[in-house]
Amino acid sequence: MIRVAIIGNSHIGAYAEASQAIRAAFPTVELSFFAFPRHDLRSADLGDDGWLRARGDHDSALPSEIDLAAQDRVIVAGQPFAMIGLDALLAEFDILGWPGTGKARRLSPALFAEYTRQAVTGAAGRLMKWFGDDGRGRFTYLAQPLVTDRARPGSSKMATLAFHPAAPRIFEQWHSALAATASDMPCPIVPQPPELRASDVFTPHRFARAATLPPDRAPAPADHIHMSAEYALAHFRAIAKTWPELHNSPERPPGPLPIKESE
């Protein structure tokens, strides 16, 4: 068996909902999950023994601790990779020559590109340091999914940036920075596959968890930041292709996904 832990913030919910389908598609995979209590690395402690333990209250049906040392692979999902910093920067500056929001202060495109690259690289470095990742590939990092075009500006940093007038150029720089960081650092980052993207900015609406809920259960305002089990299964397939122990092994048909709550 290949022991795989999927850990992170609230975005791991999609992978937990897809766990049955993932196990059916990859029968040699044994899955475990851990959610950081307050969606933040600082809400858990990683001991020298390899155990990751929640700090304080752990309002989750998932375990409050997990032995990362016992895992063959660890997926760290839902990471913002500099989205918080980019949102703060663009709250103060517009980019010269790009569609703007009337800011008096402006940055050159070259400076913005350099800031984005350094910010993404710094975020990746901090993740590796926190997990004690030695760069041998046991850890795989996932950026949080792109929002759908039904998200609300302000519902997340990424949603706010997605509705910025210069969003296509902003996200082009961000995707380029992720790719460059993954290439230059011993830090496997598996991007959101093209088939799960409507563009460089948005995820198709049908992949949103909110799209799987009946009207009387849909979050208000509608949550188009978190994705569905269908999305998670497709992304897990992309991740598995980067692992030698799964890349060349036959994959079983995935079988049915968990029944949607609306059905």
Side-chain angles (χ1 to χ4, degrees), residues 5-9 12 33-34 36 52 66 68 74-77 131:
I6 303 180
I7 68 176
N9 53 27
I12 73 166
F33 295 90
F34 177 89
F36 287 89
L52 181 63
I66 186 170
L68 294 188
V74 180
I75 298 171
V76 185
F131 285 108

Side-chain angles (χ1 to χ4, degrees), residues 39-98:
H39 317 301
D40 189 311
L41 299 182
R42 291 168 295 186
S43 62
D45 294 305
L46 181 58
D48 293 337
D49 58 357
W51 278 88
L52 181 63
R53 296 180 173 91
R55 182 186 300 164
D57 295 335
H58 188 254
D59 185 19
S60 172
L62 298 175
S64 61
E65 61 181 15
I66 186 170
D67 184 4
L68 294 188
Q71 308 300 318
D72 299 303
R73 298 281 179 174
V74 180
I75 298 171
V76 185
Q79 298 308 298
F81 278 111
M83 278 290 150
I84 296 171
L86 289 179
D87 178 70
L89 183 72
L90 292 172
E92 298 292 333
F93 295 90
D94 280 337
I95 311 300
L96 282 168
W98 294 10

